């Protein structure tokens, strides 16, 4: 079995440092936890991504940490299989002791805070008390929670600083006293103009009624659009049927498919061409002649090669991107296509850099031990001290995976909790900051109070008094803030791709950044969710606005919240068109989760001045 384990590591692009010792330990892991070599390597890839290891090398020093990761996976699988099973820990003892203390103590005082932070929080909380919050109680706000006793608040975890004139590491001027904070709040900030690209389903739409025909048409249209774009680039010939035996080299366009159970591998990878070119038939791909590749089910690619037997297409060249100049939808009417091309060109060639400051955070916004939404309150208090032009909040807000929500032990409806907790805090923040403050909210399929469908309609926030300051976006959605194009998707496509991707790279090549490669697939495929079939738990509806998933042009900023480790990366997308190199750079952001278990997570602050060379981005713990 050791040879099989070694082969799986090599096939996934990993080398072994101390081969004999590592294989011995991996064999023990497989036996102890009843794992197949492919399952073991898949778990290693998740561990490798979460640890953000620099090189694709399996080292013996990482084996102890990897063992802990495998043990956590086994515990998680056991809890999932037995819903009534509870894994006891020292926290259960603390819970019992805390319950006993509550019988004798009516109020437990919280830990003291710094003077500046306390003054800002007092002002921010006064608005909430004046509005009479019906869900939060005064006593609950003073209870000691694991989140309230956390250390290392607002610590910078990662920073990209291309603006040396910035006074602070997080890209905002800091004010240490109350008077400065009030002056900054009253002083008129530059307005942030928002323009939403509406292409998703409408609120109240009928969903999950898609037919097999809808799914077929969605796949067929994607293949046809990519084929038309490849031909329009004048770098490739007209696609041909890859299933017909031929000794000469041909060019074919199709979707990557897996013809067996389990993950994609070199024996199960097939190419499904369009009905127009091959009647929708599939042919197996031979990858031995490709020195570098990255495939996943649902990916639409161009393949140059030959099929001498009619049963296997031997690939010699891979084309997995669309040139930027023809990235727009080729099926649009000529007038609309010309207008879209002019808009893209104007955006790309704009000589005036646009400056915008923003805070980006993704849910859950409350810890698993309560529904007090302390992390959200802390985040908005942080925003009041730093006055960004824009705050972007991505769901879930009322997380369906929260223990109290899953057990149904809450006293209010999900809509009432959303209104009395989340929207009340948001409204108080906007009223306190004044009319120039702007906030964007994007739902998640994990929101218990919203439609369980993807693509997902926006929240209905028209009843709020500050609705002119809040922009409710579809999921996924694209909008422009001061001419900076921003794309957002709250479905964890990065994690889903990481579990399905198959890649190969030369042994002597330079180490590759897998997180950047996964994020680049979103842009090169021009789709917020190119994976097909969708991952388990994704309620994909192909009858609802199929154009909602389409990315017509590369955005300036792409926000992809994920369970994988937080990051801010600059991606380069594009290639050559008619012999001329064309590249577009995009800032891709995974802000992490604002709340993790009973503790705090991370968020991102960003100051962007027109391009990635002039920005300051920081990942900060809440």
């Amino acid at each position: 079995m050791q040879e099989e384990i070694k082969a799986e590591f090599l096939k996934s692009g990993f080398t072994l440092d101390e081969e004999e010792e590592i294989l011995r330990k991996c064999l023990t892991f497989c036996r102890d936890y009843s794992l197949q070599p492919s399952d073991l390597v898949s778990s290693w890839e998740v561990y490798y991504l979460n640890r953000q290891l620099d090189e694709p090398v399996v080292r013996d020093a990482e084996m102890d940490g990897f063992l802990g990761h495998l043990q956590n996976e086994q515990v998680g699988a056991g809890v999932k299989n037995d819903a009534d099973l509870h894994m006891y820990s020292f926290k259960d003892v603390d819970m019992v002791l805390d319950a006993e203390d509550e019988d004798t103590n009516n109020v437990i005082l919280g830990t003291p805070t710094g003077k500046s932070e306390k003054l800002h929080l007092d002002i921010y909380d006064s608005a909430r008390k004046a509005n009479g919050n019906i869900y939060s109680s005064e006593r609950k706000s003073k209870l000691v929670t694991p989140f309230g006793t956390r250390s290392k608040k607002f610590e910078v975890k990662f920073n990209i600083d291309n603006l040396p004139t910035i006074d602070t590491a997080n890209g905002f001027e800091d004010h240490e006293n109350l008077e400065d904070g009030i002056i900054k709040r009253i002083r008129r900030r530059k307005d942030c103009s928002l323009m939403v690209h509406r292409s998703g389903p409408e609120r109240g739409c009928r969903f999950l009624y898609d037919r097999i025909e809808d799914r077929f048409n969605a796949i067929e249209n994607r293949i046809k659009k990519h084929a038309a774009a490849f031909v329009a680039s004048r770098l490739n010939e007209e696609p041909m049927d890859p299933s017909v035996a031929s000794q000469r080299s041909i060019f074919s366009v199709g979707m990557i498919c897996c013809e067996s159970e389990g993950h994609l591998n070199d024996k199960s990878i097939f190419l499904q061409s369009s009905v127009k070119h091959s009647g929708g038939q599939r042919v197996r791909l031979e990858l031995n002649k490709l020195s570098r590749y990255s495939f996943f089910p649902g990916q639409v690619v161009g393949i140059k090669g030959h099929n001498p037997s009619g049963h296997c297409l031997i690939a010699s060249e891979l084309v997995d991107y669309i040139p930027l100049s023809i990235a727009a939808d080729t099926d649009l009417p000529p007038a609309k296509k010309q207008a879209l091309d002019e808009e893209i060109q104007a955006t790309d060639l704009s000589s005036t850099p646009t400056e915008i400051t923003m805070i980006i955070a993704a849910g859950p916004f409350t810890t698993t031990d309560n529904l007090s939404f302390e992390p959200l309150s802390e985040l908005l208090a942080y925003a009041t001290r730093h006055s960004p032009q824009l705050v972007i909040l991505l769901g879930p807000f009322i997380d369906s995976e929260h223990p109290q929500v899953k057990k149904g032990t809450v006293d209010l409806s999900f809509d009432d909790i959303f209104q009395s907790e989340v929207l009340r805090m948001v409204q108080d923040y906007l009223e306190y900051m004044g009319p120039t403050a702007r906030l964007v909210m994007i739902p998640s399929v994990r929101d218990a109070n919203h439609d369980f469908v993807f693509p997902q309609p926006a929240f209905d926030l028209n009843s709020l008094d500050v609705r002119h300051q809040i922009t409710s976006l579809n999921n996924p959605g694209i909008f422009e803030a001061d001419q900076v194009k921003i794309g957002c998707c709250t479905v964890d496509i990065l994690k889903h791709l990481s579990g399905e991707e198959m890649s190969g790279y030369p042994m002597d090549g330079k180490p590759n950044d897998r997180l950047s490669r996964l994020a680049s697939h979103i842009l090169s495929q021009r789709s917020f969710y190119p994976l097909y079939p969708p991952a388990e738990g994704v309620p994909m509806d192909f009858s609802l606005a199929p154009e909602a998933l389409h990315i017509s042009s590369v955005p300036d900023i792409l926000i992809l919240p994920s369970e994988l480790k937080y990051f801010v990366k600059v991606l380069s997308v594009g290639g050559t068109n008619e012999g001329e190199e064309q590249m577009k750079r995009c800032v891709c952001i995974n802000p992490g989760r604002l709340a993790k278990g009973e503790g705090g997570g991370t968020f991102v602050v960003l100051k962007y001045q027109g391009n990635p060379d002039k920005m300051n981005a920081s990942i900060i713990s809440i």
Side-chain angles (χ1 to χ4, degrees):
M1 181 181 283
Q2 290 188 1
E3 290 300 322
E4 296 180 20
I5 295 174
K6 178 181 177 181
E8 288 291 335
F9 274 118
L10 295 178
K11 186 169 63 177
S12 297
F14 294 98
T15 58
L16 305 180
D17 186 19
E18 301 177 20
E19 183 174 313
E20 183 177 350
E21 183 65 17
I22 291 175
L23 290 179
R24 184 184 64 81
K25 291 183 178 181
C26 288
L27 178 61
T28 302
F29 297 160
C30 287
R31 289 174 177 173
D32 290 347
Y33 299 109
S34 302
L35 297 175
Q36 295 296 323
S38 59
D39 298 329
L40 179 78
V41 175
S42 295
S43 295
W44 166 261
E45 289 180 343
V46 175
Y47 174 80
Y48 169 82
L49 287 172
N50 287 336
R51 289 292 302 273
Q52 280 199 329
L53 302 179
D54 295 332
E55 300 179 357
V57 179
V58 183
R59 304 185 187 279
D60 184 56
E62 295 290 341
M63 286 295 101
D64 289 340
F66 181 45
L67 174 59
H69 172 77
L70 290 175
Q71 291 172 342
N72 291 336
E73 282 189 339
Q74 295 297 316
V75 171
V79 173
K80 184 176 180 180
N81 294 333
D82 190 349
D84 297 326
L85 178 64
H86 179 74
M87 306 300 293
Y88 287 93
S89 67
F90 69 92
K91 295 180 181 178
D92 295 281
V93 179
D94 293 340
M95 180 180 66
V96 174
L97 294 177
D98 290 342
E100 292 176 354
D101 291 341
E102 287 181 5
D103 294 335
T104 58
N105 301 308
N106 290 328
V107 177
I108 302 176
L109 296 178
T111 56
T113 60
K115 179 180 178 182
S116 175
E117 182 177 352
K118 184 177 185 299
L119 288 171
H120 283 98
L121 286 174
D122 287 345
I123 289 180
Y124 172 65
D125 289 339
S126 64
R128 300 190 65 197
K129 293 177 182 178
N131 289 331
N133 192 326
I134 65 172
Y135 187 71
S136 298
S137 64
E138 184 69 19
R139 179 175 181 273
K140 183 174 69 173
S141 65
K142 294 184 178 180
L143 291 177
V144 174
T145 62
F147 178 82
T149 58
R150 73 198 186 281
S151 60
K152 298 182 179 180
K153 300 179 182 179
F154 305 113
E155 180 184 49
V156 177
K157 300 288 189 180
F158 175 81
N159 178 250
I160 297 178
D161 189 359
N162 295 329
L163 297 174
T165 59
I166 297 301
D167 295 332
T168 60
N170 59 24
F172 297 115
E173 297 176 1
D174 203 359
H175 293 269
E176 294 297 333
N177 56 66
L178 176 61
E179 289 75 18
D180 285 344
I182 293 177
I183 292 173
K184 185 171 184 179
R185 179 171 61 88
I186 295 176
R187 186 178 60 205
R188 181 174 178 82
R189 296 183 304 274
K190 178 185 176 183
D191 291 344
C192 177
S193 62
L194 298 180
M195 182 178 70
V196 178
H197 296 207
R198 295 287 182 188
S199 60
E202 299 294 332
R203 302 185 188 100
C205 63
R206 173 176 169 174
F207 57 88
L208 295 184
Y209 284 90
D210 58 334
R211 302 164 296 175
I212 296 179
E213 180 182 356
D214 296 321
R215 294 174 177 263
F216 169 80
N217 289 334
I219 295 173
E220 182 70 11
N221 289 336
R222 278 192 65 207
I223 298 175
K224 288 168 61 178
K225 288 178 180 178
H226 275 70
F230 288 143
V231 174
S233 69
R234 300 182 182 179
L235 297 175
N236 305 289
E237 59 189 26
E238 188 71 25
M240 299 182 66
D241 185 357
S243 62
V244 175
S246 174
Q247 295 295 330
R248 71 183 186 91
S249 179
I250 64 170
F251 177 70
S252 182
V253 178
M255 184 182 73
I256 299 298
C257 304
C258 182
E259 278 290 290
S260 66
E261 295 183 3
H263 296 294
L264 199 67
N265 56 63
D266 54 359
K267 301 298 182 184
S268 65
I269 183 169
F270 278 67
L271 183 73
Q272 176 181 321
S273 190
S274 66
V275 173
K276 174 183 177 182
H277 295 109
S278 69
Q281 294 188 37
R282 297 180 176 181
V283 62
R284 192 172 77 83
L285 285 179
E286 176 60 60
L287 309 177
N288 289 337
K289 292 187 177 182
L290 293 179
S291 60
R292 185 182 298 265
Y293 58 83
S294 175
F295 292 116
F296 61 88
Q299 181 184 17
V300 179
V301 297
I303 297 289
K304 292 182 180 179
H306 64 284
N307 186 353
S309 64
H311 302 290
C312 179
L313 179 63
I314 302 175
S316 58
E317 184 179 341
L318 169 66
V319 183
D320 59 356
Y321 64 88
I322 300 176
L324 295 177
S325 60
I326 42 86
D329 195 331
T330 55
D331 291 342
L332 288 175
K336 290 186 177 181
K337 185 176 184 301
Q338 181 180 0
L340 182 57
D341 290 340
E342 291 176 354
E343 176 187 345
I344 295 172
Q345 184 178 7
T347 302
D348 293 341
L349 300 180
S350 177
S351 58
T352 305
T354 303
E355 178 178 326
I356 184 171
T357 58
M358 65 183 77
I359 291 178
I360 305 168
F365 290 94
T366 188
T367 53
T368 56
D369 56 336
N370 60 60
L371 284 170
S372 300
F373 290 88
E374 294 172 278
L376 178 59
S377 179
E378 290 275 6
L379 178 75
L380 295 178
Y382 179 92
T384 62
R385 299 195 296 271
H386 297 85
S387 299
Q389 292 173 269
L390 178 65
V391 175
I392 302 177
L393 302 181
L394 304 103
F397 296 91
I398 310 300
D399 189 7
S400 59
E401 297 296 320
H402 191 282
Q404 294 183 28
V405 174
K406 293 179 71 174
K407 295 177 182 177
T409 58
V410 293
D411 296 329
L412 300 177
S413 70
F414 301 142
D415 282 331
D416 288 341
I417 299 174
F418 183 64
Q419 292 283 339
S420 62
E421 289 291 331
V422 177
L423 294 186
R424 178 64 59 85
M425 290 185 188
V426 167
Q427 181 162 311
D428 290 345
Y429 162 75
L430 292 173
E431 289 177 349
Y432 175 74
M433 296 304 293
T436 59
R438 292 290 182 269
L439 187 141
V440 174
M441 296 183 70
I442 302 99
S444 166
V445 294
R446 283 168 51 181
D447 274 308
N449 63 311
H450 201 46
D451 296 334
F452 183 65
V453 65
F454 185 74
Q456 193 173 26
F459 287 123
D460 185 0
L461 306 178
N462 291 327
S463 61
L464 295 180
D465 296 336
V466 291
R467 57 184 176 272
H468 62 283
Q469 294 178 255
I470 301 181
T471 299
S472 183
L473 205 64
N474 294 331
N475 175 34
I478 298 177
F479 68 99
E480 290 185 22
D482 285 348
Q483 299 181 351
V484 176
K485 191 173 184 180
I486 304 173
C488 309
C489 181
T490 58
V491 170
D492 197 347
I493 179 60
L494 294 178
K495 184 179 180 181
H496 298 166
L497 284 179
S498 70
E500 299 293 340
E501 187 209 29
M502 166 193 177
S503 62
Y505 291 86
M507 294 297 182
D508 56 349
K510 64 179 181 179
N512 58 86
D513 183 353
R514 190 163 190 245
L515 286 174
S516 295
R517 188 173 73 241
L518 294 175
S520 295
H521 282 310
I522 310 300
L523 300 175
S524 62
Q525 289 291 297
R526 299 293 189 266
S527 173
F528 281 107
Y529 200 91
L531 184 66
Y532 185 86
E536 182 180 359
V538 178
M540 182 74 74
D541 190 327
F542 290 93
S543 67
L544 284 180
E547 67 276 8
L549 301 180
H550 181 62
I551 303 176
S552 60
S553 62
V554 178
D556 298 299
I557 300 172
L558 181 63
I559 305 174
L560 301 174
S562 174
E563 298 292 342
L564 302 180
K565 191 172 182 179
Y566 51 76
F567 64 80
V568 176
K569 296 182 180 293
V570 179
L571 308 178
S572 296
V573 185
T576 57
N577 183 33
E578 298 182 351
E580 180 181 352
E581 185 175 359
Q582 296 179 334
M583 301 295 292
K584 173 69 183 291
R585 291 191 297 169
C586 169
V587 180
C588 185
I589 299 174
N590 170 21
R593 304 295 182 182
L594 192 67
K596 289 188 176 182
E598 296 183 359
T602 56
F603 64 96
V604 169
V605 294
L606 175 68
K607 185 168 186 177
Y608 186 86
Q609 293 186 351
N611 63 73
D613 292 331
K614 295 181 179 180
M615 75 168 183
N616 182 290
S618 298
I619 300 176
I620 302 177
S621 60
I622 186 64

